[in-house]
Amino acid sequence: MKLKIILVEDDPDLGMVLKQYLEFSDFEVVWITHPEEILKNKKMIDGYQLAILDVMLPGIDGFELSKEIRKTSDIPFLFLTAKSQSIDRILGLKLGADDYITKPCEPEELILRIKNILRRQNHIKEDIIKIGYYSFVPEQFRLIYQDHAIQLTEKESELLLLLSKNNRRIINRKEILETLWGENDYFLGRSLDVFMTRLRKYFQHDERITLDSVRGVGFKVEFPDNRS
């Protein structure tokens, strides 16, 4: 079952982009452009797991809207605003916001913040992938060996997640490039080789893990795994 988010954003372009990106990230989203819709029917947020509130809204700002929501609901909410002054951030947190992000924001960052909130609310469980003696936490871009944590880059994490889904098979280089970068390009291919070299180094403590190049095709991935 998809987790449900209510988005209150009056900017039509930003609202559409956020709605599409959230839905692409497997959330169910209701997008509202006028806060009066919630004020007239506060029960409409029942059943939702999170509210994203733009601060600069017509008629009533996001801060005041959050106060009204809190009278009847304990739904977690995140403020989305162009304001960056610390006083606004402090005010938002004092009003009970679970997080606060300024515009323009990277959609990936917004998704991570949302998932962190929902994880704290026990709506989602952190996904941990066992790769041999290692534990891979995709949401945190972390690879853990014993008591040592390796902080991966976003692309390293995306690549490792793709490889973990293709264990014990040959995965085509073109497929990797188009999945991670959206195109099959020579220079991106060189970057892919660099990332694969890094991953091999990260996994040096478990000789059962192999990331072998298959000339003219791609890579053969093999490791003992156990998703938990």
Short mmCIF file of all heavy atoms in Angstrom, two decimals, residues 91-154:
data_model
loop_
_atom_site.label_atom_id
_atom_site.label_comp_id
_atom_site.label_asym_id
_atom_site.label_seq_id
_atom_site.Cartn_x
_atom_site.Cartn_y
_atom_site.Cartn_z
N LEU A 91 10.90 29.35 13.90
CA LEU A 91 9.45 29.45 14.09
C LEU A 91 8.75 28.19 13.60
O LEU A 91 7.87 27.65 14.27
CB LEU A 91 8.90 30.67 13.36
CG LEU A 91 7.37 30.85 13.38
CD1 LEU A 91 6.87 30.92 14.82
CD2 LEU A 91 6.96 32.09 12.60
N GLY A 92 9.17 27.72 12.44
CA GLY A 92 8.56 26.51 11.89
C GLY A 92 8.73 25.32 12.80
O GLY A 92 7.80 24.55 13.05
N LEU A 93 9.93 25.15 13.33
CA LEU A 93 10.18 24.02 14.22
C LEU A 93 9.44 24.16 15.55
O LEU A 93 8.99 23.18 16.13
CB LEU A 93 11.69 23.87 14.46
CG LEU A 93 12.51 23.53 13.21
CD1 LEU A 93 14.00 23.53 13.52
CD2 LEU A 93 12.09 22.18 12.63
N LYS A 94 9.31 25.41 16.04
CA LYS A 94 8.55 25.63 17.27
C LYS A 94 7.08 25.27 17.09
O LYS A 94 6.42 24.88 18.05
CB LYS A 94 8.68 27.10 17.70
CG LYS A 94 9.99 27.44 18.39
CD LYS A 94 9.99 28.87 18.89
CE LYS A 94 11.25 29.18 19.68
NZ LYS A 94 11.27 30.59 20.17
N LEU A 95 6.60 25.43 15.88
CA LEU A 95 5.20 25.10 15.61
C LEU A 95 4.99 23.59 15.48
O LEU A 95 3.87 23.14 15.27
CB LEU A 95 4.73 25.80 14.33
CG LEU A 95 4.58 27.33 14.45
CD1 LEU A 95 4.28 27.94 13.08
CD2 LEU A 95 3.47 27.69 15.42
N GLY A 96 6.06 22.84 15.57
CA GLY A 96 5.92 21.38 15.55
C GLY A 96 6.25 20.74 14.23
O GLY A 96 5.96 19.56 14.03
N ALA A 97 6.87 21.49 13.31
CA ALA A 97 7.24 20.89 12.03
C ALA A 97 8.27 19.79 12.24
O ALA A 97 9.16 19.92 13.09
CB ALA A 97 7.80 21.95 11.08
N ASP A 98 8.16 18.74 11.47
CA ASP A 98 9.12 17.64 11.57
C ASP A 98 10.37 17.93 10.75
O ASP A 98 11.41 17.32 10.99
CB ASP A 98 8.46 16.34 11.11
CG ASP A 98 7.37 15.90 12.06
OD1 ASP A 98 6.24 16.40 11.94
OD2 ASP A 98 7.66 15.08 12.94
N ASP A 99 10.26 18.85 9.82
CA ASP A 99 11.43 19.26 9.05
C ASP A 99 11.09 20.54 8.29
O ASP A 99 9.94 20.97 8.24
CB ASP A 99 11.89 18.18 8.08
CG ASP A 99 13.40 18.21 7.82
OD1 ASP A 99 13.99 19.29 8.02
OD2 ASP A 99 13.96 17.18 7.44
N TYR A 100 12.11 21.12 7.66
CA TYR A 100 11.98 22.42 7.03
C TYR A 100 12.99 22.45 5.89
O TYR A 100 14.18 22.23 6.11
CB TYR A 100 12.32 23.49 8.08
CG TYR A 100 12.06 24.93 7.70
CD1 TYR A 100 11.08 25.66 8.37
CD2 TYR A 100 12.80 25.57 6.72
CE1 TYR A 100 10.85 26.99 8.05
CE2 TYR A 100 12.56 26.89 6.39
CZ TYR A 100 11.60 27.60 7.06
OH TYR A 100 11.36 28.91 6.75
N ILE A 101 12.54 22.71 4.67
CA ILE A 101 13.46 22.73 3.53
C ILE A 101 13.19 23.97 2.69
O ILE A 101 12.02 24.37 2.51
CB ILE A 101 13.32 21.44 2.69
CG1 ILE A 101 14.42 21.35 1.63
CG2 ILE A 101 11.96 21.33 2.06
CD1 ILE A 101 14.51 19.98 0.97
N THR A 102 14.25 24.62 2.22
CA THR A 102 14.09 25.86 1.47
C THR A 102 14.09 25.60 -0.03
O THR A 102 14.73 24.67 -0.52
CB THR A 102 15.21 26.86 1.81
OG1 THR A 102 16.48 26.24 1.56
CG2 THR A 102 15.14 27.26 3.28
N LYS A 103 13.35 26.44 -0.75
CA LYS A 103 13.31 26.39 -2.21
C LYS A 103 14.38 27.31 -2.78
O LYS A 103 14.64 28.37 -2.20
CB LYS A 103 11.93 26.81 -2.71
CG LYS A 103 10.80 25.92 -2.25
CD LYS A 103 9.48 26.32 -2.87
CE LYS A 103 8.96 27.64 -2.31
NZ LYS A 103 7.60 27.96 -2.79
N PRO A 104 14.97 26.96 -3.92
CA PRO A 104 14.75 25.70 -4.65
C PRO A 104 15.46 24.54 -3.95
O PRO A 104 16.53 24.71 -3.39
CB PRO A 104 15.38 25.98 -6.02
CG PRO A 104 16.46 26.97 -5.72
CD PRO A 104 15.93 27.84 -4.62
N CYS A 105 14.84 23.38 -4.00
CA CYS A 105 15.42 22.22 -3.35
C CYS A 105 15.58 21.10 -4.37
O CYS A 105 14.87 21.05 -5.37
CB CYS A 105 14.55 21.75 -2.18
SG CYS A 105 12.94 21.13 -2.69
N GLU A 106 16.53 20.22 -4.10
CA GLU A 106 16.70 19.05 -4.93
C GLU A 106 15.61 18.04 -4.58
O GLU A 106 15.41 17.73 -3.41
CB GLU A 106 18.07 18.42 -4.70
CG GLU A 106 19.23 19.25 -5.22
CD GLU A 106 19.24 19.35 -6.73
OE1 GLU A 106 18.74 18.41 -7.40
OE2 GLU A 106 19.72 20.37 -7.25
N PRO A 107 14.88 17.54 -5.57
CA PRO A 107 13.83 16.55 -5.29
C PRO A 107 14.34 15.35 -4.50
O PRO A 107 13.64 14.83 -3.63
CB PRO A 107 13.34 16.14 -6.68
CG PRO A 107 13.63 17.33 -7.55
CD PRO A 107 14.92 17.88 -7.01
N GLU A 108 15.59 14.93 -4.80
CA GLU A 108 16.15 13.78 -4.08
C GLU A 108 16.29 14.07 -2.59
O GLU A 108 16.03 13.21 -1.74
CB GLU A 108 17.52 13.41 -4.66
CG GLU A 108 17.47 12.84 -6.06
CD GLU A 108 17.52 13.94 -7.11
OE1 GLU A 108 17.47 15.12 -6.74
OE2 GLU A 108 17.62 13.60 -8.31
N GLU A 109 16.68 15.32 -2.26
CA GLU A 109 16.82 15.70 -0.86
C GLU A 109 15.45 15.70 -0.18
O GLU A 109 15.31 15.25 0.97
CB GLU A 109 17.46 17.08 -0.73
CG GLU A 109 17.63 17.51 0.73
CD GLU A 109 18.18 18.92 0.87
OE1 GLU A 109 18.45 19.57 -0.15
OE2 GLU A 109 18.32 19.36 2.04
N LEU A 110 14.45 16.21 -0.88
CA LEU A 110 13.09 16.23 -0.32
C LEU A 110 12.61 14.81 -0.02
O LEU A 110 12.05 14.56 1.04
CB LEU A 110 12.14 16.93 -1.28
CG LEU A 110 10.66 16.97 -0.85
CD1 LEU A 110 10.50 17.74 0.46
CD2 LEU A 110 9.81 17.61 -1.95
N ILE A 111 12.85 13.90 -0.95
CA ILE A 111 12.43 12.52 -0.76
C ILE A 111 13.12 11.90 0.46
O ILE A 111 12.50 11.22 1.28
CB ILE A 111 12.72 11.67 -2.01
CG1 ILE A 111 11.88 12.16 -3.20
CG2 ILE A 111 12.44 10.19 -1.74
CD1 ILE A 111 10.39 12.04 -3.00
N LEU A 112 14.41 12.17 0.61
CA LEU A 112 15.15 11.63 1.75
C LEU A 112 14.62 12.18 3.06
O LEU A 112 14.47 11.44 4.05
CB LEU A 112 16.64 11.96 1.62
CG LEU A 112 17.42 11.15 0.59
CD1 LEU A 112 18.85 11.69 0.46
CD2 LEU A 112 17.45 9.68 0.94
N ARG A 113 14.31 13.47 3.08
CA ARG A 113 13.77 14.08 4.30
C ARG A 113 12.40 13.50 4.63
O ARG A 113 12.08 13.22 5.79
CB ARG A 113 13.69 15.59 4.14
CG ARG A 113 15.04 16.29 4.15
CD ARG A 113 14.89 17.78 3.88
NE ARG A 113 16.17 18.46 3.90
CZ ARG A 113 16.70 19.06 4.96
NH1 ARG A 113 16.03 19.04 6.11
NH2 ARG A 113 17.86 19.67 4.90
N ILE A 114 11.58 13.31 3.61
CA ILE A 114 10.26 12.72 3.82
C ILE A 114 10.39 11.31 4.39
O ILE A 114 9.70 10.95 5.35
CB ILE A 114 9.47 12.69 2.49
CG1 ILE A 114 9.04 14.11 2.10
CG2 ILE A 114 8.25 11.78 2.61
CD1 ILE A 114 8.44 14.20 0.71
N LYS A 115 11.27 10.53 3.80
CA LYS A 115 11.43 9.15 4.27
C LYS A 115 11.97 9.10 5.69
O LYS A 115 11.61 8.22 6.47
CB LYS A 115 12.33 8.38 3.31
CG LYS A 115 11.65 8.06 1.98
CD LYS A 115 12.52 7.19 1.10
CE LYS A 115 11.77 6.79 -0.17
NZ LYS A 115 12.59 5.93 -1.05
N ASN A 116 12.84 10.05 6.04
CA ASN A 116 13.35 10.11 7.41
C ASN A 116 12.22 10.39 8.40
O ASN A 116 12.16 9.81 9.48
CB ASN A 116 14.43 11.17 7.53
CG ASN A 116 15.76 10.73 6.94
OD1 ASN A 116 16.02 9.54 6.82
ND2 ASN A 116 16.58 11.69 6.55
N ILE A 117 11.33 11.32 8.02
CA ILE A 117 10.18 11.63 8.88
C ILE A 117 9.29 10.40 9.04
O ILE A 117 8.90 10.03 10.16
CB ILE A 117 9.36 12.80 8.30
CG1 ILE A 117 10.17 14.10 8.35
CG2 ILE A 117 8.05 12.98 9.08
CD1 ILE A 117 9.50 15.25 7.62
N LEU A 118 8.97 9.77 7.94
CA LEU A 118 8.07 8.61 7.97
C LEU A 118 8.71 7.44 8.71
O LEU A 118 8.03 6.65 9.36
CB LEU A 118 7.69 8.21 6.54
CG LEU A 118 6.86 9.25 5.79
CD1 LEU A 118 6.62 8.80 4.35
CD2 LEU A 118 5.52 9.50 6.49
N ARG A 119 10.03 7.35 8.60
CA ARG A 119 10.72 6.29 9.34
C ARG A 119 10.62 6.51 10.85
O ARG A 119 10.42 5.58 11.62
CB ARG A 119 12.19 6.23 8.89
CG ARG A 119 12.95 5.02 9.41
CD ARG A 119 14.34 4.95 8.81
NE ARG A 119 14.29 4.69 7.38
CZ ARG A 119 14.62 5.55 6.43
NH1 ARG A 119 15.06 6.75 6.75
NH2 ARG A 119 14.54 5.22 5.17
N ARG A 120 10.76 7.78 11.25
CA ARG A 120 10.63 8.10 12.68
C ARG A 120 9.21 7.83 13.17
O ARG A 120 9.00 7.52 14.33
CB ARG A 120 11.00 9.57 12.92
CG ARG A 120 12.48 9.87 12.73
CD ARG A 120 12.85 11.19 13.37
NE ARG A 120 12.17 12.32 12.77
CZ ARG A 120 12.66 13.04 11.76
NH1 ARG A 120 13.84 12.74 11.24
NH2 ARG A 120 11.99 14.07 11.29
N GLN A 121 8.25 7.98 12.26
CA GLN A 121 6.86 7.74 12.61
C GLN A 121 6.49 6.26 12.47
O GLN A 121 5.33 5.88 12.64
CB GLN A 121 5.94 8.57 11.70
CG GLN A 121 6.12 10.07 11.83
CD GLN A 121 5.53 10.60 13.11
OE1 GLN A 121 4.52 10.10 13.59
NE2 GLN A 121 6.16 11.64 13.67
N ASN A 122 7.48 5.43 12.12
CA ASN A 122 7.29 3.98 11.95
C ASN A 122 6.36 3.63 10.80
O ASN A 122 5.75 2.56 10.79
CB ASN A 122 6.76 3.35 13.25
CG ASN A 122 7.76 3.42 14.38
OD1 ASN A 122 8.95 3.22 14.16
ND2 ASN A 122 7.28 3.71 15.57
N HIS A 123 6.27 4.53 9.81
CA HIS A 123 5.47 4.22 8.62
C HIS A 123 6.27 3.40 7.61
O HIS A 123 5.70 2.65 6.83
CB HIS A 123 4.96 5.50 7.95
CG HIS A 123 3.91 6.21 8.74
ND1 HIS A 123 2.72 5.61 9.10
CD2 HIS A 123 3.86 7.46 9.25
CE1 HIS A 123 1.98 6.46 9.79
NE2 HIS A 123 2.65 7.59 9.89
N ILE A 124 7.59 3.57 7.62
CA ILE A 124 8.43 2.78 6.72
C ILE A 124 9.63 2.26 7.50
O ILE A 124 10.11 2.88 8.44
CB ILE A 124 8.93 3.60 5.50
CG1 ILE A 124 9.75 4.81 5.94
CG2 ILE A 124 7.77 4.02 4.63
CD1 ILE A 124 10.33 5.58 4.79
N LYS A 125 10.09 1.11 7.09
CA LYS A 125 11.25 0.50 7.72
C LYS A 125 12.48 0.76 6.85
O LYS A 125 12.40 0.77 5.63
CB LYS A 125 11.05 -1.01 7.89
CG LYS A 125 9.96 -1.37 8.89
CD LYS A 125 9.86 -2.87 9.07
CE LYS A 125 8.81 -3.24 10.10
NZ LYS A 125 8.71 -4.71 10.28
N GLU A 126 13.59 0.96 7.50
CA GLU A 126 14.82 1.19 6.78
C GLU A 126 15.24 -0.09 6.07
O GLU A 126 15.30 -1.16 6.67
CB GLU A 126 15.91 1.63 7.75
CG GLU A 126 17.14 2.17 7.09
CD GLU A 126 18.01 2.91 8.09
OE1 GLU A 126 18.43 2.28 9.07
OE2 GLU A 126 18.23 4.11 7.89
N ASP A 127 15.51 0.03 4.78
CA ASP A 127 15.88 -1.12 3.98
C ASP A 127 17.37 -1.39 4.13
O ASP A 127 18.20 -0.51 3.88
CB ASP A 127 15.54 -0.83 2.51
CG ASP A 127 15.57 -2.09 1.67
OD1 ASP A 127 15.47 -3.18 2.24
OD2 ASP A 127 15.70 -1.97 0.43
N ILE A 128 17.71 -2.59 4.56
CA ILE A 128 19.10 -2.99 4.71
C ILE A 128 19.34 -4.21 3.84
O ILE A 128 18.62 -5.20 3.93
CB ILE A 128 19.45 -3.31 6.18
CG1 ILE A 128 19.22 -2.08 7.07
CG2 ILE A 128 20.88 -3.80 6.29
CD1 ILE A 128 19.45 -2.36 8.55
N ILE A 129 20.35 -4.13 2.98
CA ILE A 129 20.68 -5.22 2.08
C ILE A 129 21.99 -5.84 2.54
O ILE A 129 23.01 -5.16 2.64
CB ILE A 129 20.81 -4.72 0.62
CG1 ILE A 129 19.48 -4.09 0.17
CG2 ILE A 129 21.18 -5.87 -0.30
CD1 ILE A 129 19.55 -3.41 -1.18
N LYS A 130 21.95 -7.14 2.82
CA LYS A 130 23.15 -7.85 3.23
C LYS A 130 23.91 -8.29 1.99
O LYS A 130 23.37 -8.97 1.11
CB LYS A 130 22.79 -9.06 4.08
CG LYS A 130 22.04 -8.72 5.37
CD LYS A 130 22.90 -7.91 6.32
CE LYS A 130 24.05 -8.71 6.87
NZ LYS A 130 24.83 -7.94 7.88
N ILE A 131 25.17 -7.87 1.90
CA ILE A 131 26.03 -8.25 0.80
C ILE A 131 27.27 -8.90 1.41
O ILE A 131 28.19 -8.21 1.86
CB ILE A 131 26.42 -7.03 -0.06
CG1 ILE A 131 25.18 -6.34 -0.61
CG2 ILE A 131 27.33 -7.46 -1.21
CD1 ILE A 131 25.47 -5.08 -1.41
N GLY A 132 27.27 -10.21 1.46
CA GLY A 132 28.37 -10.90 2.12
C GLY A 132 28.49 -10.46 3.57
O GLY A 132 27.53 -10.50 4.34
N TYR A 133 29.69 -9.99 3.94
CA TYR A 133 29.92 -9.53 5.30
C TYR A 133 29.52 -8.07 5.49
O TYR A 133 29.70 -7.51 6.57
CB TYR A 133 31.40 -9.69 5.67
CG TYR A 133 31.90 -11.12 5.63
CD1 TYR A 133 33.13 -11.44 5.05
CD2 TYR A 133 31.13 -12.16 6.16
CE1 TYR A 133 33.59 -12.75 5.01
CE2 TYR A 133 31.59 -13.47 6.13
CZ TYR A 133 32.81 -13.75 5.55
OH TYR A 133 33.26 -15.05 5.52
N TYR A 134 28.98 -7.46 4.46
CA TYR A 134 28.64 -6.04 4.49
C TYR A 134 27.13 -5.83 4.64
O TYR A 134 26.33 -6.69 4.28
CB TYR A 134 29.10 -5.35 3.21
CG TYR A 134 30.59 -5.30 3.00
CD1 TYR A 134 31.28 -6.44 2.57
CD2 TYR A 134 31.32 -4.13 3.21
CE1 TYR A 134 32.66 -6.40 2.37
CE2 TYR A 134 32.69 -4.09 3.00
CZ TYR A 134 33.35 -5.23 2.58
OH TYR A 134 34.70 -5.18 2.38
N SER A 135 26.78 -4.66 5.14
CA SER A 135 25.38 -4.22 5.19
C SER A 135 25.28 -2.93 4.39
O SER A 135 26.00 -1.97 4.66
CB SER A 135 24.93 -3.99 6.63
OG SER A 135 24.94 -5.18 7.38
N PHE A 136 24.37 -2.91 3.43
CA PHE A 136 24.19 -1.75 2.57
C PHE A 136 22.87 -1.07 2.93
O PHE A 136 21.81 -1.70 2.92
CB PHE A 136 24.20 -2.20 1.11
CG PHE A 136 23.88 -1.13 0.11
CD1 PHE A 136 24.35 0.16 0.23
CD2 PHE A 136 23.09 -1.44 -1.00
CE1 PHE A 136 24.05 1.15 -0.70
CE2 PHE A 136 22.79 -0.47 -1.94
CZ PHE A 136 23.27 0.82 -1.80
N VAL A 137 22.94 0.23 3.26
CA VAL A 137 21.74 1.01 3.60
C VAL A 137 21.53 2.04 2.50
O VAL A 137 22.11 3.13 2.54
CB VAL A 137 21.91 1.71 4.97
CG1 VAL A 137 20.57 2.32 5.41
CG2 VAL A 137 22.43 0.75 6.02
N PRO A 138 20.73 1.73 1.49
CA PRO A 138 20.57 2.61 0.32
C PRO A 138 20.10 4.01 0.66
O PRO A 138 20.58 4.99 0.08
CB PRO A 138 19.53 1.87 -0.54
CG PRO A 138 19.62 0.45 -0.11
CD PRO A 138 19.94 0.49 1.34
N GLU A 139 19.14 4.13 1.59
CA GLU A 139 18.58 5.44 1.90
C GLU A 139 19.60 6.38 2.52
O GLU A 139 19.50 7.60 2.40
CB GLU A 139 17.38 5.29 2.84
CG GLU A 139 16.21 4.52 2.27
CD GLU A 139 15.57 5.23 1.09
OE1 GLU A 139 15.80 6.44 0.93
OE2 GLU A 139 14.86 4.56 0.31
N GLN A 140 20.61 5.83 3.18
CA GLN A 140 21.64 6.64 3.82
C GLN A 140 22.94 6.69 3.03
O GLN A 140 23.90 7.33 3.44
CB GLN A 140 21.93 6.10 5.22
CG GLN A 140 20.76 6.15 6.17
CD GLN A 140 21.12 5.65 7.56
OE1 GLN A 140 22.30 5.45 7.89
NE2 GLN A 140 20.13 5.44 8.39
N PHE A 141 22.98 6.00 1.88
CA PHE A 141 24.19 5.92 1.06
C PHE A 141 25.35 5.37 1.89
O PHE A 141 26.48 5.86 1.79
CB PHE A 141 24.58 7.30 0.49
CG PHE A 141 23.49 8.01 -0.26
CD1 PHE A 141 23.50 9.39 -0.36
CD2 PHE A 141 22.45 7.32 -0.86
CE1 PHE A 141 22.51 10.07 -1.05
CE2 PHE A 141 21.45 7.98 -1.56
CZ PHE A 141 21.48 9.36 -1.65
N ARG A 142 25.10 4.34 2.67
CA ARG A 142 26.14 3.82 3.57
C ARG A 142 26.37 2.33 3.33
O ARG A 142 25.43 1.55 3.15
CB ARG A 142 25.77 4.05 5.03
CG ARG A 142 25.73 5.50 5.44
CD ARG A 142 26.06 5.69 6.90
NE ARG A 142 25.26 4.82 7.76
CZ ARG A 142 25.54 4.58 9.04
NH1 ARG A 142 26.59 5.13 9.60
NH2 ARG A 142 24.76 3.81 9.76
N LEU A 143 27.64 1.95 3.37
CA LEU A 143 28.06 0.56 3.29
C LEU A 143 28.83 0.27 4.58
O LEU A 143 29.81 0.95 4.89
CB LEU A 143 28.95 0.34 2.07
CG LEU A 143 29.38 -1.10 1.79
CD1 LEU A 143 28.18 -1.98 1.47
CD2 LEU A 143 30.38 -1.12 0.63
N ILE A 144 28.37 -0.74 5.32
CA ILE A 144 28.93 -0.99 6.65
C ILE A 144 29.63 -2.33 6.69
O ILE A 144 29.07 -3.36 6.28
CB ILE A 144 27.81 -0.95 7.71
CG1 ILE A 144 27.09 0.41 7.68
CG2 ILE A 144 28.39 -1.21 9.10
CD1 ILE A 144 25.84 0.45 8.51
N TYR A 145 30.87 -2.31 7.18
CA TYR A 145 31.63 -3.54 7.40
C TYR A 145 32.08 -3.55 8.85
O TYR A 145 32.85 -2.68 9.29
CB TYR A 145 32.84 -3.61 6.46
CG TYR A 145 33.75 -4.78 6.74
CD1 TYR A 145 33.36 -6.07 6.41
CD2 TYR A 145 34.99 -4.59 7.35
CE1 TYR A 145 34.18 -7.16 6.68
CE2 TYR A 145 35.82 -5.67 7.62
CZ TYR A 145 35.40 -6.96 7.28
OH TYR A 145 36.21 -8.03 7.56
N GLN A 146 31.58 -4.54 9.59
CA GLN A 146 31.83 -4.62 11.03
C GLN A 146 31.45 -3.29 11.69
O GLN A 146 30.29 -2.89 11.63
CB GLN A 146 33.29 -5.02 11.28
CG GLN A 146 33.61 -6.42 10.76
CD GLN A 146 35.02 -6.85 11.02
OE1 GLN A 146 35.89 -6.07 11.41
NE2 GLN A 146 35.30 -8.12 10.78
N ASP A 147 32.39 -2.59 12.30
CA ASP A 147 32.04 -1.32 12.95
C ASP A 147 32.49 -0.11 12.13
O ASP A 147 32.55 1.02 12.63
CB ASP A 147 32.65 -1.24 14.36
CG ASP A 147 34.17 -1.35 14.34
OD1 ASP A 147 34.73 -1.68 13.28
OD2 ASP A 147 34.79 -1.12 15.40
N HIS A 148 32.81 -0.35 10.85
CA HIS A 148 33.28 0.73 9.99
C HIS A 148 32.24 1.04 8.92
O HIS A 148 31.77 0.14 8.21
CB HIS A 148 34.60 0.34 9.32
CG HIS A 148 35.13 1.36 8.37
ND1 HIS A 148 35.50 2.63 8.77
CD2 HIS A 148 35.35 1.30 7.03
CE1 HIS A 148 35.93 3.31 7.71
NE2 HIS A 148 35.84 2.53 6.65
N ALA A 149 31.86 2.32 8.79
CA ALA A 149 30.87 2.74 7.81
C ALA A 149 31.53 3.53 6.69
O ALA A 149 32.30 4.46 6.94
CB ALA A 149 29.79 3.58 8.47
N ILE A 150 31.24 3.16 5.45
CA ILE A 150 31.73 3.87 4.27
C ILE A 150 30.59 4.73 3.75
O ILE A 150 29.51 4.22 3.45
CB ILE A 150 32.18 2.89 3.18
CG1 ILE A 150 33.28 1.97 3.72
CG2 ILE A 150 32.64 3.65 1.94
CD1 ILE A 150 33.58 0.80 2.79
N GLN A 151 30.82 6.04 3.66
CA GLN A 151 29.80 6.94 3.14
C GLN A 151 29.93 7.00 1.62
O GLN A 151 30.88 7.54 1.07
CB GLN A 151 29.95 8.34 3.73
CG GLN A 151 28.80 9.27 3.39
CD GLN A 151 27.47 8.78 3.96
OE1 GLN A 151 27.37 8.48 5.14
NE2 GLN A 151 26.46 8.68 3.12
N LEU A 152 28.94 6.44 0.93
CA LEU A 152 28.96 6.41 -0.53
C LEU A 152 28.44 7.72 -1.10
O LEU A 152 27.70 8.45 -0.44
CB LEU A 152 28.09 5.26 -1.04
CG LEU A 152 28.39 3.85 -0.51
CD1 LEU A 152 27.34 2.88 -1.02
CD2 LEU A 152 29.77 3.40 -0.92
N THR A 153 28.80 8.00 -2.35
CA THR A 153 28.15 9.09 -3.05
C THR A 153 26.78 8.59 -3.53
O THR A 153 26.50 7.39 -3.51
CB THR A 153 28.98 9.54 -4.27
OG1 THR A 153 29.00 8.48 -5.24
CG2 THR A 153 30.40 9.89 -3.87
N GLU A 154 25.95 9.51 -3.97
CA GLU A 154 24.62 9.12 -4.43
C GLU A 154 24.72 8.16 -5.62
O GLU A 154 24.01 7.16 -5.69
CB GLU A 154 23.81 10.36 -4.82
CG GLU A 154 22.38 10.04 -5.25
CD GLU A 154 21.56 11.28 -5.54
OE1 GLU A 154 22.07 12.41 -5.29
OE2 GLU A 154 20.43 11.14 -6.04
#
